[in-house]
Amino acid sequence: MNLWQEYLRPTNLSQALQAFAEASGPILPIAGGTDLLLDLEQGRHSPVHTLVDVTSIVEMTALQVRGAELFIGAALPVNRIVLDTLAGAHAQALTEACNLIAGPQVRNVATLGGNVAHALPAADGTIALLALSAQAEVAFALPKSIGTALAPSARTGVVSGASDNERSRSASTRRVPFKELFIGPGKSSLKHGQELLVGFYLPLSKANQASCFKRIMRPQGVALPIINLAIWLERTNDIISQIRIAVGPGGPTPWSGTQAEKALLGKPLNAETFHAALEALLSQVGFRSSARRASSDYRRHIVSGLFKDVLETAWGRAS
Ligand SMILES: Cc1cc2nc3c(=O)[nH]c(=O)nc-3n(C[C@H](O)[C@H](O)[C@H](O)COP(=O)(O)OP(=O)(O)OC[C@H]3O[C@@H](n4cnc5c(N)ncnc54)[C@H](O)[C@@H]3O)c2cc1C
């Protein structure tokens, strides 16, 4: 049985959005296919007529500094992120997360955009991006009538190589705060068959800022971890002047430990402040029991060591 009827490989954003706008049947983006193909094959996904391969779209495979931000294309295989020096310098937690996803074969094709769009609350790249305050760039097709009516300056996200005709009818992009991408386990807020993740913007890192990602995994485990945790922090005169804590799966969507962040903000890191933060984290987090990975109680038990390890590593790196 064919899993799809038509496979398109656009080379720019305009062509991809045009395919979405003109689709006559169910249409989906595909990147590495490491999640989607299994879901289609095993009947966890409704049938699809057209797959739009986004991995040749130039704008979605860039990794570069843009102004005061780092842009990471959604269609970049995670292994490219692991090896990139800019990502290493400005998004260490993300490179650490990407380096732990699956094995080398999967990492060579699995993309960061696919990791995020799949919307699992413990996806490794997703948890790192949350701690790093990412913003997503989302592209959506403009109906032809609106697209042609807009002045060129009102349209963004146009990809070089697109013809004027293509540009006039497509490619508008917007920035979305990262958390707003998620509405439930496996459910993103992206409009299926209409919207694409183009990439992610992260603030550039300063000398007194650092991040760290670690996870706990079953010894023979592939795919998602028992628990993962990412922290970004800023250290000013031995005080935590900014901090963001992300834990997966701390809730139905990628989860931020806001109470633990409050407990640490403006304080030095020592045994007393760590324990206050741990208590705050445990009182807020909503670990669930999952048959394949771990019980909620076990996750509550092991999170303390992981939290301490990640926090101390980020703190040390920011010195
Ligand atoms: C053996 C194995 C081990 C794994 N181990 C891990 C692990 O350790 N940690 C982990 O986090 N994950 C793991 N995964 C899951 C998977 O590899 C990752 O989630 C991967 O990053 C998904 O990316 P992809 O490019 O393959 O996505 P795809 O499978 O191509 O797509 C996934 C979903 O995202 C949508 N999509 C893809 N790109 C876009 C886009 N640009 N805009 C909008 N929607 C888009 C697709 O339509 C689909 O719904 C594993 C998978 C396998 C098979």
Side-chain angles (χ1 to χ4, degrees), residues 64-88:
Q64 57 196 198
V65 171
R66 294 184 181 169
E69 294 171 302
L70 182 69
F71 174 82
I72 302 180
L76 266 184
V78 294
N79 207 28
R80 289 264 309 279
I81 299 168
V82 173
L83 298 172
D84 191 272
T85 48
L86 278 176

Side-chain angles (χ1 to χ4, degrees), residues 28-38 45 54 60 74 78 100-102 106 109-115 117-118 122-125 190 195-197 215 217 222-225:
L28 276 181
I30 183 166
T34 61
D35 280 325
L36 182 58
L37 291 180
L38 286 179
H45 203 293
V54 297
M60 292 174 63
V78 294
L100 288 168
I101 290 176
V106 170
V109 292
T111 65
L112 190 57
N115 195 260
H118 206 210
D124 291 312
L190 294 169
E195 292 185 326
L196 269 182
L197 279 171
R215 70 181 196 178
M217 186 81 176
V222 290
L224 298 175

Side-chain angles (χ1 to χ4, degrees), residues 7 15 21 23 72 96 156 172 180 182 247 265 272 275 307:
Y7 196 92
Q15 289 171 0
I72 302 180
E96 287 169 333
T156 55
S172 193
E180 290 179 18
F182 309 103
V247 183
L265 200 61
E272 191 188 335
H275 284 294
F307 183 33

Side-chain angles (χ1 to χ4, degrees), residues 68-248:
E69 294 171 302
L70 182 69
F71 174 82
I72 302 180
L76 266 184
V78 294
N79 207 28
R80 289 264 309 279
I81 299 168
V82 173
L83 298 172
D84 191 272
T85 48
L86 278 176
H90 296 289
Q92 192 164 3
L94 181 64
T95 58
E96 287 169 333
C98 289
N99 202 25
L100 288 168
I101 290 176
Q105 296 96 331
V106 170
R107 284 200 292 276
N108 277 334
V109 292
T111 65
L112 190 57
N115 195 260
V116 171
H118 206 210
L120 295 181
D124 291 312
T126 302
I127 287 298
L129 284 173
L130 181 58
L132 290 166
S133 263
Q135 288 199 324
E137 183 178 15
V138 174
F140 51 98
L142 285 175
K144 196 173 177 182
S145 54
I146 297 175
T148 45
L150 284 178
S153 59
R155 297 193 300 268
T156 55
V158 174
V159 178
S160 60
S163 71
D164 285 347
N165 226 355
E166 285 167 333
R167 288 176 192 184
S168 67
R169 114 176 111 203
S170 62
S172 193
T173 67
R174 65 194 158 91
R175 290 270 194 119
V176 180
F178 196 63
K179 281 209 100 163
E180 290 179 18
L181 288 175
F182 309 103
I183 51 181
K187 285 193 187 131
S188 82
S189 60
L190 294 169
K191 292 196 186 97
H192 287 295
Q194 291 179 40
E195 292 185 326
L196 269 182
L197 279 171
V198 179
F200 306 96
Y201 284 92
L202 309 175
L204 295 183
S205 191
K206 299 187 179 131
N208 62 338
Q209 300 172 339
S211 64
C212 178
F213 173 96
K214 297 191 187 202
R215 70 181 196 178
I216 295 173
M217 186 81 176
R218 293 169 74 93
Q220 303 299 324
V222 290
L224 298 175
I226 291 174
I227 189 169
N228 58 13
L229 207 147
I231 292 180
W232 172 93
L233 60 77
E234 181 184 82
R235 181 171 173 170
T236 311
N237 301 327
D238 271 349
I239 295 291
I240 297 176
S241 44
Q242 292 191 68
I243 183 161
R244 284 186 298 275
I245 300 166
V247 183

